[in-house]
Structures are given as C-alpha cells and as structure tokens.
Amino acid sequence: DVSELENVRQELGRTIDFHARTLDQLATAVAIYGADRRLQFYNAAFRSLWDLDASFLESNPTDVALLDALRAARKLPEQADYRGWRNKLLESYTSLEPREFWWHLPDGRTLRVIANPHPQGGVTYIYENVTERLDLESRYNSLIRVQGETLDNLSEAVAVFGSDGRLRLWNPAF
C-alpha cells in the first residue's frame, strides 16, 4: 500500500508550489541551485534583475554557465581575474555559513548578494538592490554636513531641542 507515500508526495508538492508562489511575490531576486550546481528555482525579480531569457533559465543552467552568460552581457562587476572571482563565489557550495558579497555593476547599480548554502548541497542566492538606499544615505549625510557647517558659521547662538526636551543640535556661538 503506497497511498500514504502518495499523500506525503502530494503534500510536499503543494508546499513547494506555495513557497514558489510566495518567493515570486518578493521584490528581492532569489535563485536556488541544487547540489548538482544547476538552477532549480528563480523568482520573477531574478529574471527582471538580470533581464534573462526565460528559455535559458528553464534549461536549468549551471551556476558557472549563468555567471559566464552574465559576464558576456557585461552585467557582472568588472574583474581583473574573473576566474578567481567566480571560484571564490562558488566556494559557497562548500561553505558552512552564509556569505555576503557587494557587487558594483557596470550600469551603476549596487547589489548585496547573500549566498546561503544548503545542508544537503546547493546554494540559495539572494540579490538585494541597495543602489537607492546607498544614494539616499549619501545625500542624507551630505545634507547633515552642510547643515552642520551652516550652523557652525552663524554668529547667532542656535540650539535645537528634540521632542523629548533634550538638546539635540547646537552651534559654537551657543
């Protein structure tokens, strides 16, 4: 009697479909590679991030083939030693801990890449586009510096108190 085994398989299939639908709704790109280093899953954000052909992705390319295709399309960070860089990235398959990389792409985008190894082999890559956040942080820090310089050069005393009544900002004249 294999009915219980079939029930478990169906339940597993439903769970996998549910997780795939959930990951497909994320704005963060996700790619999952199996122990054979072939692409097993990708979400819509991954396909959009790299602007890759669906037929290429559905062919379950290897991690190396996908990286080489991205490099040929000039979508990866420029590297003097591409093979060494690629091999360092592929060390994630044998790593025990997640690894984090920062990629500065030729088109000006910056990605935070997390490579999370599976205990049974394989890797899940998470690609977070942090370009906008870094730009906002840079503009905010620039604004704070300009504001500070302006206040410091005023001859009038200036003090700014926070909503809790504590002194937050002041200039030397104060």
Side-chain angles (χ1 to χ4, degrees):
D1 183 23
V2 293
S3 59
E4 187 175 337
L5 179 62
E6 272 306 307
N7 289 340
V8 170
R9 281 187 183 161
Q10 289 175 351
E11 183 61 31
L12 179 62
R14 285 192 297 272
T15 301
I16 290 171
D17 288 344
F18 170 75
H19 287 290
R21 285 192 317 270
T22 301
L23 289 174
D24 213 30
Q25 299 301 315
L26 295 177
T28 301
V30 177
I32 300 174
Y33 290 84
D36 61 355
R37 297 186 180 198
R38 291 194 164 278
L39 184 64
Q40 290 182 339
F41 172 83
Y42 62 93
N43 65 355
F46 177 81
R47 184 167 173 244
S48 175
L49 173 70
W50 299 119
D51 191 28
L52 293 168
D53 184 42
S55 61
F56 172 69
L57 293 172
E58 292 302 322
S59 71
N60 299 93
T62 63
D63 203 348
V64 170
L66 189 95
L67 287 171
D68 290 347
L70 290 173
R71 179 179 184 235
R74 299 210 40 184
K75 295 180 180 180
L76 288 180
E78 297 293 334
Q79 301 295 324
D81 178 17
Y82 170 71
R83 284 181 185 249
W85 176 84
R86 183 184 68 193
N87 290 339
K88 186 169 181 69
L89 179 66
L90 295 175
E91 288 174 3
S92 300
Y93 283 93
T94 57
S95 176
L96 298 175
E97 296 293 323
R99 302 172 75 197
E100 182 177 348
F101 305 93
W102 289 82
W103 292 1
H104 302 283
L105 305 180
D107 63 3
R109 293 181 296 173
T110 301
L111 300 180
R112 177 177 168 240
V113 180
I114 300 168
N116 192 16
H118 292 258
Q120 296 86 14
V123 173
T124 298
Y125 290 107
I126 300 168
Y127 304 88
E128 181 184 4
N129 188 346
V130 295
T131 308
E132 205 171 296
R133 186 182 82 196
L134 293 177
D135 182 50
L136 285 173
E137 285 177 11
S138 173
R139 291 192 326 210
Y140 174 77
N141 290 337
S142 177
L143 180 66
I144 293 297
R145 281 193 304 275
V146 168
Q147 188 179 42
E149 286 295 321
T150 303
L151 285 176
D152 287 350
N153 290 312
L154 289 175
S155 58
E156 296 86 10
V158 176
V160 178
F161 294 87
S163 59
D164 60 357
R166 299 182 68 124
L167 182 63
R168 295 288 180 203
L169 188 64
W170 65 91
N171 68 352
F174 178 74

